[in-house]
Amino acid sequence: MKRRNKVLAVAALAVTLLAGNLFTPSISAEGTPVPIEDASAAQVSKEAASAAQVDLAAANSGVMVPVEAVSQALGQTVTWDPKTKEVNIQSRLDKIIEQGYIRIGTTGDYKPFTYLNPETNEFEGYDIDAAKLLAKNLGVEARFVQTSWPTLMEDLLADKFDIAVGGITRNVERQKKAHLSQAYISFGKSPLIRLADKDRFKSLADIDQPDVKIGLNPGGTNEKFVRANIKNAEIIMVENNLEIPHMVAAGEVDVMITDNIEAMLYAKEDERLYAALTDQTFTVDEKGYLMHRGDLVFENWIELWMDEMKLKGEFDKLYKKWIE
């Protein structure tokens, strides 16, 4: 698609924005320079650069941005034709297909969605199976990249992976910096407790008491909920999310507040545990997949793929395998 619009011409090139932040381009002597007209007055975002092709015939200023820098920032192939004065920005979708693999970020510590099995050193879970189907439908190899909840967004914006999966909650804060897909499952926050404490913890108020210890993994929506709603109970930070259910069972902490789906799984695996209030959750939320923003071609492909997964009952099959 060709645009002869000055604003889009600036937007298509001024995308040295690894964090998705606004950026005013500056003169650079490195790489292949691309002229931008009146760039000093323009602050542009990555979304505006998603046009496949922009005609820069009107751009004649001396302000330059290296094509290589634009390409690195987008995580996409960007080329500049000095004869036609056109910039071509390749979609991440095309790059993935050409290179033959897709990089999938996942934490590996959140059952039943993503789990790094120490015995096999392989990822497994609901979203791992979904990601393998995604790669199969693309006709490429799935390459998993381990991340963490505190560094999930940072790693995405640093282009360590093309998409992130593994029980990621859709929320407006994440959408400010990245793009979240449509939802594929609903859930809510609820407490995982010891079966012996079934009558002790019947509400959030029962949990938020000075003599109660809550095990909490940093960086995700569990921490956000606990910090916002717990004022009196003692919070014990635990780096490895997988350790908290065992700590609850052993009496080292009293409560783990997490998604009801995860709580039910751990209660099923350990008879000492009990998933409380799973039908009266503290929140109502949805899971989605996390992507770089500003690439409508890739985003639209993911959305259609998810529509097909729902239409053909593939998500239902994964639910029965990993959750029921």
Side-chain angles (χ1 to χ4, degrees), residues 75-77 90-104 134-135 137-142 159 161-163 291-292 295 298 301-302:
Q76 300 166 231
T77 300
Q90 182 188 46
S91 169
R92 187 175 295 269
L93 175 64
D94 299 323
K95 182 180 179 181
I96 289 167
I97 293 172
E98 287 181 7
Q99 68 192 13
Y101 62 87
I102 181 171
R103 301 166 302 159
I104 303 161
L134 168 67
N137 290 151
L138 282 168
V140 300
E141 173 191 354
D159 197 34
F161 36 80
D162 302 302
I163 190 170
M291 293 165 273
H292 301 260
D295 188 342
F298 185 53
W301 192 92
I302 293 294

PDB file of all heavy atoms in Angstrom, residues 75-77 90-104 134-135 137-142 159 161-163 291-292 295 298 301-302:
ATOM      1  N   GLY A  75      11.709  -5.295  14.667  1.00  0.00           N
ATOM      2  CA  GLY A  75      11.834  -6.742  14.596  1.00  0.00           C
ATOM      3  C   GLY A  75      11.341  -7.262  13.264  1.00  0.00           C
ATOM      4  O   GLY A  75      10.932  -8.413  13.127  1.00  0.00           O
ATOM      5  N   GLN A  76      11.353  -6.406  12.248  1.00  0.00           N
ATOM      6  CA  GLN A  76      10.877  -6.734  10.906  1.00  0.00           C
ATOM      7  C   GLN A  76      11.909  -6.244   9.888  1.00  0.00           C
ATOM      8  O   GLN A  76      12.717  -5.365  10.185  1.00  0.00           O
ATOM      9  CB  GLN A  76       9.528  -6.053  10.637  1.00  0.00           C
ATOM     10  CG  GLN A  76       8.429  -6.457  11.605  1.00  0.00           C
ATOM     11  CD  GLN A  76       7.228  -5.540  11.544  1.00  0.00           C
ATOM     12  OE1 GLN A  76       6.767  -5.043  12.554  1.00  0.00           O
ATOM     13  NE2 GLN A  76       6.713  -5.308  10.348  1.00  0.00           N
ATOM     14  N   THR A  77      11.871  -6.817   8.719  1.00  0.00           N
ATOM     15  CA  THR A  77      12.783  -6.397   7.669  1.00  0.00           C
ATOM     16  C   THR A  77      12.287  -5.108   7.026  1.00  0.00           C
ATOM     17  O   THR A  77      11.146  -5.023   6.572  1.00  0.00           O
ATOM     18  CB  THR A  77      12.917  -7.496   6.591  1.00  0.00           C
ATOM     19  OG1 THR A  77      13.416  -8.678   7.212  1.00  0.00           O
ATOM     20  CG2 THR A  77      13.868  -7.059   5.494  1.00  0.00           C
ATOM     21  N   GLN A  90       8.334  -5.150   6.146  1.00  0.00           N
ATOM     22  CA  GLN A  90       7.825  -6.515   6.076  1.00  0.00           C
ATOM     23  C   GLN A  90       7.115  -6.886   7.376  1.00  0.00           C
ATOM     24  O   GLN A  90       7.604  -6.601   8.464  1.00  0.00           O
ATOM     25  CB  GLN A  90       8.987  -7.486   5.842  1.00  0.00           C
ATOM     26  CG  GLN A  90       8.589  -8.947   5.697  1.00  0.00           C
ATOM     27  CD  GLN A  90       9.799  -9.859   5.657  1.00  0.00           C
ATOM     28  OE1 GLN A  90      10.713  -9.722   6.459  1.00  0.00           O
ATOM     29  NE2 GLN A  90       9.815 -10.796   4.725  1.00  0.00           N
ATOM     30  N   SER A  91       5.980  -7.530   7.282  1.00  0.00           N
ATOM     31  CA  SER A  91       5.280  -7.980   8.473  1.00  0.00           C
ATOM     32  C   SER A  91       6.081  -9.072   9.186  1.00  0.00           C
ATOM     33  O   SER A  91       6.806  -9.850   8.555  1.00  0.00           O
ATOM     34  CB  SER A  91       3.904  -8.535   8.103  1.00  0.00           C
ATOM     35  OG  SER A  91       3.318  -9.207   9.200  1.00  0.00           O
ATOM     36  N   ARG A  92       5.924  -9.132  10.494  1.00  0.00           N
ATOM     37  CA  ARG A  92       6.534 -10.201  11.281  1.00  0.00           C
ATOM     38  C   ARG A  92       6.047 -11.565  10.784  1.00  0.00           C
ATOM     39  O   ARG A  92       6.786 -12.548  10.826  1.00  0.00           O
ATOM     40  CB  ARG A  92       6.179 -10.014  12.757  1.00  0.00           C
ATOM     41  CG  ARG A  92       6.880 -10.967  13.711  1.00  0.00           C
ATOM     42  CD  ARG A  92       6.553 -10.611  15.151  1.00  0.00           C
ATOM     43  NE  ARG A  92       7.083  -9.302  15.502  1.00  0.00           N
ATOM     44  CZ  ARG A  92       8.302  -9.111  16.024  1.00  0.00           C
ATOM     45  NH1 ARG A  92       9.094 -10.141  16.243  1.00  0.00           N
ATOM     46  NH2 ARG A  92       8.712  -7.899  16.317  1.00  0.00           N
ATOM     47  N   LEU A  93       4.820 -11.616  10.315  1.00  0.00           N
ATOM     48  CA  LEU A  93       4.272 -12.865   9.786  1.00  0.00           C
ATOM     49  C   LEU A  93       5.119 -13.381   8.635  1.00  0.00           C
ATOM     50  O   LEU A  93       5.477 -14.566   8.579  1.00  0.00           O
ATOM     51  CB  LEU A  93       2.826 -12.651   9.322  1.00  0.00           C
ATOM     52  CG  LEU A  93       2.142 -13.834   8.632  1.00  0.00           C
ATOM     53  CD1 LEU A  93       1.990 -15.001   9.590  1.00  0.00           C
ATOM     54  CD2 LEU A  93       0.775 -13.406   8.097  1.00  0.00           C
ATOM     55  N   ASP A  94       5.454 -12.492   7.695  1.00  0.00           N
ATOM     56  CA  ASP A  94       6.274 -12.895   6.547  1.00  0.00           C
ATOM     57  C   ASP A  94       7.671 -13.334   6.987  1.00  0.00           C
ATOM     58  O   ASP A  94       8.221 -14.305   6.471  1.00  0.00           O
ATOM     59  CB  ASP A  94       6.387 -11.744   5.555  1.00  0.00           C
ATOM     60  CG  ASP A  94       5.030 -11.320   5.010  1.00  0.00           C
ATOM     61  OD1 ASP A  94       4.191 -12.211   4.794  1.00  0.00           O
ATOM     62  OD2 ASP A  94       4.813 -10.119   4.820  1.00  0.00           O
ATOM     63  N   LYS A  95       8.236 -12.612   7.949  1.00  0.00           N
ATOM     64  CA  LYS A  95       9.563 -12.955   8.447  1.00  0.00           C
ATOM     65  C   LYS A  95       9.571 -14.336   9.092  1.00  0.00           C
ATOM     66  O   LYS A  95      10.495 -15.136   8.878  1.00  0.00           O
ATOM     67  CB  LYS A  95      10.033 -11.899   9.448  1.00  0.00           C
ATOM     68  CG  LYS A  95      11.433 -12.140   9.991  1.00  0.00           C
ATOM     69  CD  LYS A  95      11.844 -11.049  10.971  1.00  0.00           C
ATOM     70  CE  LYS A  95      13.243 -11.307  11.534  1.00  0.00           C
ATOM     71  NZ  LYS A  95      13.645 -10.259  12.504  1.00  0.00           N
ATOM     72  N   ILE A  96       8.556 -14.630   9.896  1.00  0.00           N
ATOM     73  CA  ILE A  96       8.450 -15.923  10.564  1.00  0.00           C
ATOM     74  C   ILE A  96       8.379 -17.054   9.540  1.00  0.00           C
ATOM     75  O   ILE A  96       9.066 -18.076   9.666  1.00  0.00           O
ATOM     76  CB  ILE A  96       7.209 -15.945  11.485  1.00  0.00           C
ATOM     77  CG1 ILE A  96       7.443 -15.045  12.705  1.00  0.00           C
ATOM     78  CG2 ILE A  96       6.874 -17.364  11.932  1.00  0.00           C
ATOM     79  CD1 ILE A  96       6.187 -14.759  13.506  1.00  0.00           C
ATOM     80  N   ILE A  97       7.553 -16.863   8.528  1.00  0.00           N
ATOM     81  CA  ILE A  97       7.402 -17.898   7.501  1.00  0.00           C
ATOM     82  C   ILE A  97       8.696 -18.084   6.726  1.00  0.00           C
ATOM     83  O   ILE A  97       9.119 -19.212   6.444  1.00  0.00           O
ATOM     84  CB  ILE A  97       6.235 -17.541   6.560  1.00  0.00           C
ATOM     85  CG1 ILE A  97       4.903 -17.599   7.330  1.00  0.00           C
ATOM     86  CG2 ILE A  97       6.195 -18.474   5.358  1.00  0.00           C
ATOM     87  CD1 ILE A  97       3.709 -17.091   6.558  1.00  0.00           C
ATOM     88  N   GLU A  98       9.365 -16.997   6.394  1.00  0.00           N
ATOM     89  CA  GLU A  98      10.618 -17.079   5.635  1.00  0.00           C
ATOM     90  C   GLU A  98      11.727 -17.758   6.423  1.00  0.00           C
ATOM     91  O   GLU A  98      12.488 -18.567   5.880  1.00  0.00           O
ATOM     92  CB  GLU A  98      11.067 -15.682   5.209  1.00  0.00           C
ATOM     93  CG  GLU A  98      10.239 -15.082   4.092  1.00  0.00           C
ATOM     94  CD  GLU A  98      10.731 -13.709   3.675  1.00  0.00           C
ATOM     95  OE1 GLU A  98      11.807 -13.285   4.165  1.00  0.00           O
ATOM     96  OE2 GLU A  98      10.047 -13.054   2.869  1.00  0.00           O
ATOM     97  N   GLN A  99      11.832 -17.449   7.720  1.00  0.00           N
ATOM     98  CA  GLN A  99      12.916 -18.022   8.510  1.00  0.00           C
ATOM     99  C   GLN A  99      12.618 -19.446   8.986  1.00  0.00           C
ATOM    100  O   GLN A  99      13.515 -20.181   9.392  1.00  0.00           O
ATOM    101  CB  GLN A  99      13.235 -17.129   9.714  1.00  0.00           C
ATOM    102  CG  GLN A  99      12.144 -17.076  10.758  1.00  0.00           C
ATOM    103  CD  GLN A  99      12.361 -15.980  11.788  1.00  0.00           C
ATOM    104  OE1 GLN A  99      13.209 -15.100  11.597  1.00  0.00           O
ATOM    105  NE2 GLN A  99      11.622 -16.020  12.888  1.00  0.00           N
ATOM    106  N   GLY A 100      11.343 -19.828   8.951  1.00  0.00           N
ATOM    107  CA  GLY A 100      10.984 -21.207   9.259  1.00  0.00           C
ATOM    108  C   GLY A 100      10.757 -21.511  10.727  1.00  0.00           C
ATOM    109  O   GLY A 100      10.646 -22.685  11.102  1.00  0.00           O
ATOM    110  N   TYR A 101      10.651 -20.513  11.568  1.00  0.00           N
ATOM    111  CA  TYR A 101      10.369 -20.750  12.988  1.00  0.00           C
ATOM    112  C   TYR A 101       9.731 -19.518  13.615  1.00  0.00           C
ATOM    113  O   TYR A 101       9.890 -18.404  13.119  1.00  0.00           O
ATOM    114  CB  TYR A 101      11.639 -21.127  13.754  1.00  0.00           C
ATOM    115  CG  TYR A 101      12.720 -20.062  13.768  1.00  0.00           C
ATOM    116  CD1 TYR A 101      12.728 -19.056  14.731  1.00  0.00           C
ATOM    117  CD2 TYR A 101      13.733 -20.069  12.810  1.00  0.00           C
ATOM    118  CE1 TYR A 101      13.715 -18.079  14.738  1.00  0.00           C
ATOM    119  CE2 TYR A 101      14.728 -19.100  12.805  1.00  0.00           C
ATOM    120  CZ  TYR A 101      14.713 -18.110  13.777  1.00  0.00           C
ATOM    121  OH  TYR A 101      15.683 -17.148  13.783  1.00  0.00           O
ATOM    122  N   ILE A 102       9.010 -19.749  14.713  1.00  0.00           N
ATOM    123  CA  ILE A 102       8.421 -18.666  15.494  1.00  0.00           C
ATOM    124  C   ILE A 102       8.939 -18.778  16.919  1.00  0.00           C
ATOM    125  O   ILE A 102       8.979 -19.864  17.504  1.00  0.00           O
ATOM    126  CB  ILE A 102       6.876 -18.711  15.462  1.00  0.00           C
ATOM    127  CG1 ILE A 102       6.296 -17.537  16.273  1.00  0.00           C
ATOM    128  CG2 ILE A 102       6.324 -20.041  15.938  1.00  0.00           C
ATOM    129  CD1 ILE A 102       4.787 -17.370  16.127  1.00  0.00           C
ATOM    130  N   ARG A 103       9.351 -17.651  17.499  1.00  0.00           N
ATOM    131  CA  ARG A 103       9.867 -17.620  18.866  1.00  0.00           C
ATOM    132  C   ARG A 103       8.711 -17.333  19.824  1.00  0.00           C
ATOM    133  O   ARG A 103       8.032 -16.325  19.683  1.00  0.00           O
ATOM    134  CB  ARG A 103      10.951 -16.554  19.007  1.00  0.00           C
ATOM    135  CG  ARG A 103      12.147 -16.751  18.068  1.00  0.00           C
ATOM    136  CD  ARG A 103      12.994 -15.494  18.022  1.00  0.00           C
ATOM    137  NE  ARG A 103      12.195 -14.352  17.586  1.00  0.00           N
ATOM    138  CZ  ARG A 103      12.529 -13.085  17.837  1.00  0.00           C
ATOM    139  NH1 ARG A 103      13.619 -12.788  18.518  1.00  0.00           N
ATOM    140  NH2 ARG A 103      11.743 -12.096  17.408  1.00  0.00           N
ATOM    141  N   ILE A 104       8.529 -18.228  20.776  1.00  0.00           N
ATOM    142  CA  ILE A 104       7.382 -18.149  21.676  1.00  0.00           C
ATOM    143  C   ILE A 104       7.880 -17.977  23.100  1.00  0.00           C
ATOM    144  O   ILE A 104       8.518 -18.864  23.666  1.00  0.00           O
ATOM    145  CB  ILE A 104       6.514 -19.416  21.562  1.00  0.00           C
ATOM    146  CG1 ILE A 104       6.062 -19.610  20.108  1.00  0.00           C
ATOM    147  CG2 ILE A 104       5.326 -19.347  22.505  1.00  0.00           C
ATOM    148  CD1 ILE A 104       5.602 -20.998  19.786  1.00  0.00           C
ATOM    149  N   LEU A 134      -0.217 -23.520  16.708  1.00  0.00           N
ATOM    150  CA  LEU A 134       0.006 -22.249  16.014  1.00  0.00           C
ATOM    151  C   LEU A 134       1.152 -22.378  15.023  1.00  0.00           C
ATOM    152  O   LEU A 134       1.040 -21.989  13.851  1.00  0.00           O
ATOM    153  CB  LEU A 134       0.314 -21.159  17.040  1.00  0.00           C
ATOM    154  CG  LEU A 134       0.850 -19.824  16.513  1.00  0.00           C
ATOM    155  CD1 LEU A 134      -0.215 -19.109  15.695  1.00  0.00           C
ATOM    156  CD2 LEU A 134       1.303 -18.931  17.669  1.00  0.00           C
ATOM    157  N   ALA A 135       2.271 -22.927  15.488  1.00  0.00           N
ATOM    158  CA  ALA A 135       3.433 -23.104  14.620  1.00  0.00           C
ATOM    159  C   ALA A 135       3.111 -24.061  13.464  1.00  0.00           C
ATOM    160  O   ALA A 135       3.524 -23.821  12.317  1.00  0.00           O
ATOM    161  CB  ALA A 135       4.616 -23.640  15.431  1.00  0.00           C
ATOM    162  N   ASN A 137       0.210 -24.574  12.044  1.00  0.00           N
ATOM    163  CA  ASN A 137      -0.630 -23.873  11.073  1.00  0.00           C
ATOM    164  C   ASN A 137       0.152 -22.849  10.262  1.00  0.00           C
ATOM    165  O   ASN A 137      -0.209 -22.532   9.125  1.00  0.00           O
ATOM    166  CB  ASN A 137      -1.791 -23.199  11.780  1.00  0.00           C
ATOM    167  CG  ASN A 137      -2.824 -24.181  12.327  1.00  0.00           C
ATOM    168  OD1 ASN A 137      -3.486 -23.918  13.312  1.00  0.00           O
ATOM    169  ND2 ASN A 137      -2.952 -25.345  11.702  1.00  0.00           N
ATOM    170  N   LEU A 138       1.220 -22.322  10.848  1.00  0.00           N
ATOM    171  CA  LEU A 138       2.105 -21.415  10.116  1.00  0.00           C
ATOM    172  C   LEU A 138       3.051 -22.171   9.194  1.00  0.00           C
ATOM    173  O   LEU A 138       3.638 -21.584   8.286  1.00  0.00           O
ATOM    174  CB  LEU A 138       2.933 -20.583  11.100  1.00  0.00           C
ATOM    175  CG  LEU A 138       2.235 -19.396  11.774  1.00  0.00           C
ATOM    176  CD1 LEU A 138       3.092 -18.878  12.924  1.00  0.00           C
ATOM    177  CD2 LEU A 138       1.973 -18.280  10.770  1.00  0.00           C
ATOM    178  N   GLY A 139       3.209 -23.464   9.455  1.00  0.00           N
ATOM    179  CA  GLY A 139       4.151 -24.266   8.683  1.00  0.00           C
ATOM    180  C   GLY A 139       5.585 -24.038   9.110  1.00  0.00           C
ATOM    181  O   GLY A 139       6.509 -24.165   8.291  1.00  0.00           O
ATOM    182  N   VAL A 140       5.785 -23.717  10.404  1.00  0.00           N
ATOM    183  CA  VAL A 140       7.131 -23.429  10.906  1.00  0.00           C
ATOM    184  C   VAL A 140       7.378 -24.199  12.206  1.00  0.00           C
ATOM    185  O   VAL A 140       6.478 -24.820  12.767  1.00  0.00           O
ATOM    186  CB  VAL A 140       7.327 -21.917  11.161  1.00  0.00           C
ATOM    187  CG1 VAL A 140       7.120 -21.129   9.871  1.00  0.00           C
ATOM    188  CG2 VAL A 140       6.398 -21.412  12.256  1.00  0.00           C
ATOM    189  N   GLU A 141       8.612 -24.115  12.687  1.00  0.00           N
ATOM    190  CA  GLU A 141       9.010 -24.743  13.941  1.00  0.00           C
ATOM    191  C   GLU A 141       8.675 -23.826  15.121  1.00  0.00           C
ATOM    192  O   GLU A 141       8.806 -22.607  15.028  1.00  0.00           O
ATOM    193  CB  GLU A 141      10.520 -25.003  13.911  1.00  0.00           C
ATOM    194  CG  GLU A 141      11.121 -25.507  15.207  1.00  0.00           C
ATOM    195  CD  GLU A 141      12.633 -25.491  15.202  1.00  0.00           C
ATOM    196  OE1 GLU A 141      13.221 -25.188  14.128  1.00  0.00           O
ATOM    197  OE2 GLU A 141      13.234 -25.768  16.264  1.00  0.00           O
ATOM    198  N   ALA A 142       8.243 -24.411  16.237  1.00  0.00           N
ATOM    199  CA  ALA A 142       8.003 -23.653  17.466  1.00  0.00           C
ATOM    200  C   ALA A 142       9.271 -23.659  18.306  1.00  0.00           C
ATOM    201  O   ALA A 142       9.756 -24.717  18.691  1.00  0.00           O
ATOM    202  CB  ALA A 142       6.849 -24.263  18.246  1.00  0.00           C
ATOM    203  N   ASP A 159      12.434  -7.732  21.797  1.00  0.00           N
ATOM    204  CA  ASP A 159      12.321  -8.632  20.641  1.00  0.00           C
ATOM    205  C   ASP A 159      12.998  -9.978  20.886  1.00  0.00           C
ATOM    206  O   ASP A 159      13.618 -10.539  19.996  1.00  0.00           O
ATOM    207  CB  ASP A 159      12.883  -7.972  19.377  1.00  0.00           C
ATOM    208  CG  ASP A 159      12.414  -8.693  18.113  1.00  0.00           C
ATOM    209  OD1 ASP A 159      11.282  -9.199  18.111  1.00  0.00           O
ATOM    210  OD2 ASP A 159      13.192  -8.749  17.140  1.00  0.00           O
ATOM    211  N   PHE A 161      11.207 -12.573  21.611  1.00  0.00           N
ATOM    212  CA  PHE A 161      10.275 -13.537  21.038  1.00  0.00           C
ATOM    213  C   PHE A 161       9.211 -12.803  20.237  1.00  0.00           C
ATOM    214  O   PHE A 161       9.053 -11.580  20.359  1.00  0.00           O
ATOM    215  CB  PHE A 161       9.636 -14.423  22.119  1.00  0.00           C
ATOM    216  CG  PHE A 161       9.337 -13.738  23.423  1.00  0.00           C
ATOM    217  CD1 PHE A 161       8.204 -12.952  23.585  1.00  0.00           C
ATOM    218  CD2 PHE A 161      10.198 -13.872  24.501  1.00  0.00           C
ATOM    219  CE1 PHE A 161       7.928 -12.324  24.782  1.00  0.00           C
ATOM    220  CE2 PHE A 161       9.933 -13.248  25.715  1.00  0.00           C
ATOM    221  CZ  PHE A 161       8.798 -12.476  25.860  1.00  0.00           C
ATOM    222  N   ASP A 162       8.489 -13.556  19.417  1.00  0.00           N
ATOM    223  CA  ASP A 162       7.477 -12.983  18.524  1.00  0.00           C
ATOM    224  C   ASP A 162       6.107 -12.886  19.182  1.00  0.00           C
ATOM    225  O   ASP A 162       5.295 -12.030  18.820  1.00  0.00           O
ATOM    226  CB  ASP A 162       7.364 -13.833  17.252  1.00  0.00           C
ATOM    227  CG  ASP A 162       8.687 -13.938  16.520  1.00  0.00           C
ATOM    228  OD1 ASP A 162       9.235 -12.889  16.143  1.00  0.00           O
ATOM    229  OD2 ASP A 162       9.184 -15.069  16.340  1.00  0.00           O
ATOM    230  N   ILE A 163       5.850 -13.783  20.119  1.00  0.00           N
ATOM    231  CA  ILE A 163       4.563 -13.829  20.807  1.00  0.00           C
ATOM    232  C   ILE A 163       4.794 -14.487  22.150  1.00  0.00           C
ATOM    233  O   ILE A 163       5.703 -15.306  22.297  1.00  0.00           O
ATOM    234  CB  ILE A 163       3.520 -14.606  19.969  1.00  0.00           C
ATOM    235  CG1 ILE A 163       2.109 -14.458  20.550  1.00  0.00           C
ATOM    236  CG2 ILE A 163       3.907 -16.076  19.812  1.00  0.00           C
ATOM    237  CD1 ILE A 163       1.001 -15.006  19.631  1.00  0.00           C
ATOM    238  N   MET A 291       1.561  -9.830  22.059  1.00  0.00           N
ATOM    239  CA  MET A 291       2.356  -9.603  20.848  1.00  0.00           C
ATOM    240  C   MET A 291       2.893  -8.184  20.804  1.00  0.00           C
ATOM    241  O   MET A 291       2.445  -7.319  21.547  1.00  0.00           O
ATOM    242  CB  MET A 291       1.481  -9.817  19.602  1.00  0.00           C
ATOM    243  CG  MET A 291       1.011 -11.220  19.378  1.00  0.00           C
ATOM    244  SD  MET A 291      -0.354 -11.255  18.167  1.00  0.00           S
ATOM    245  CE  MET A 291      -1.761 -10.978  19.250  1.00  0.00           C
ATOM    246  N   HIS A 292       3.826  -7.945  19.890  1.00  0.00           N
ATOM    247  CA  HIS A 292       4.275  -6.591  19.602  1.00  0.00           C
ATOM    248  C   HIS A 292       3.111  -5.839  18.956  1.00  0.00           C
ATOM    249  O   HIS A 292       2.371  -6.393  18.148  1.00  0.00           O
ATOM    250  CB  HIS A 292       5.459  -6.613  18.622  1.00  0.00           C
ATOM    251  CG  HIS A 292       6.622  -7.390  19.128  1.00  0.00           C
ATOM    252  ND1 HIS A 292       7.723  -6.810  19.704  1.00  0.00           N
ATOM    253  CD2 HIS A 292       6.855  -8.734  19.160  1.00  0.00           C
ATOM    254  CE1 HIS A 292       8.586  -7.743  20.062  1.00  0.00           C
ATOM    255  NE2 HIS A 292       8.076  -8.916  19.744  1.00  0.00           N
ATOM    256  N   ASP A 295       1.685  -4.230  14.164  1.00  0.00           N
ATOM    257  CA  ASP A 295       1.803  -5.096  12.983  1.00  0.00           C
ATOM    258  C   ASP A 295       0.437  -5.744  12.746  1.00  0.00           C
ATOM    259  O   ASP A 295       0.167  -6.853  13.201  1.00  0.00           O
ATOM    260  CB  ASP A 295       2.880  -6.154  13.213  1.00  0.00           C
ATOM    261  CG  ASP A 295       3.180  -6.970  11.955  1.00  0.00           C
ATOM    262  OD1 ASP A 295       2.347  -6.966  11.030  1.00  0.00           O
ATOM    263  OD2 ASP A 295       4.237  -7.620  11.901  1.00  0.00           O
ATOM    264  N   PHE A 298       0.224  -9.426  11.164  1.00  0.00           N
ATOM    265  CA  PHE A 298       0.451 -10.527  12.103  1.00  0.00           C
ATOM    266  C   PHE A 298      -0.699 -10.642  13.104  1.00  0.00           C
ATOM    267  O   PHE A 298      -1.191 -11.735  13.381  1.00  0.00           O
ATOM    268  CB  PHE A 298       1.779 -10.317  12.832  1.00  0.00           C
ATOM    269  CG  PHE A 298       2.167 -11.461  13.729  1.00  0.00           C
ATOM    270  CD1 PHE A 298       2.222 -12.759  13.256  1.00  0.00           C
ATOM    271  CD2 PHE A 298       2.485 -11.229  15.073  1.00  0.00           C
ATOM    272  CE1 PHE A 298       2.585 -13.812  14.089  1.00  0.00           C
ATOM    273  CE2 PHE A 298       2.856 -12.275  15.904  1.00  0.00           C
ATOM    274  CZ  PHE A 298       2.896 -13.570  15.419  1.00  0.00           C
ATOM    275  N   TRP A 301      -3.710 -12.235  11.534  1.00  0.00           N
ATOM    276  CA  TRP A 301      -3.535 -13.675  11.326  1.00  0.00           C
ATOM    277  C   TRP A 301      -3.789 -14.428  12.628  1.00  0.00           C
ATOM    278  O   TRP A 301      -4.469 -15.460  12.637  1.00  0.00           O
ATOM    279  CB  TRP A 301      -2.135 -13.990  10.793  1.00  0.00           C
ATOM    280  CG  TRP A 301      -2.024 -15.411  10.311  1.00  0.00           C
ATOM    281  CD1 TRP A 301      -2.232 -15.884   9.050  1.00  0.00           C
ATOM    282  CD2 TRP A 301      -1.732 -16.571  11.115  1.00  0.00           C
ATOM    283  NE1 TRP A 301      -2.085 -17.256   9.001  1.00  0.00           N
ATOM    284  CE2 TRP A 301      -1.775 -17.702  10.260  1.00  0.00           C
ATOM    285  CE3 TRP A 301      -1.436 -16.762  12.460  1.00  0.00           C
ATOM    286  CZ2 TRP A 301      -1.531 -18.991  10.719  1.00  0.00           C
ATOM    287  CZ3 TRP A 301      -1.202 -18.057  12.925  1.00  0.00           C
ATOM    288  CH2 TRP A 301      -1.244 -19.156  12.055  1.00  0.00           C
ATOM    289  N   ILE A 302      -3.242 -13.910  13.735  1.00  0.00           N
ATOM    290  CA  ILE A 302      -3.445 -14.550  15.037  1.00  0.00           C
ATOM    291  C   ILE A 302      -4.925 -14.574  15.401  1.00  0.00           C
ATOM    292  O   ILE A 302      -5.449 -15.587  15.899  1.00  0.00           O
ATOM    293  CB  ILE A 302      -2.636 -13.828  16.137  1.00  0.00           C
ATOM    294  CG1 ILE A 302      -1.127 -14.011  15.911  1.00  0.00           C
ATOM    295  CG2 ILE A 302      -3.037 -14.337  17.522  1.00  0.00           C
ATOM    296  CD1 ILE A 302      -0.628 -15.421  16.055  1.00  0.00           C
TER     297      ILE A 302
END
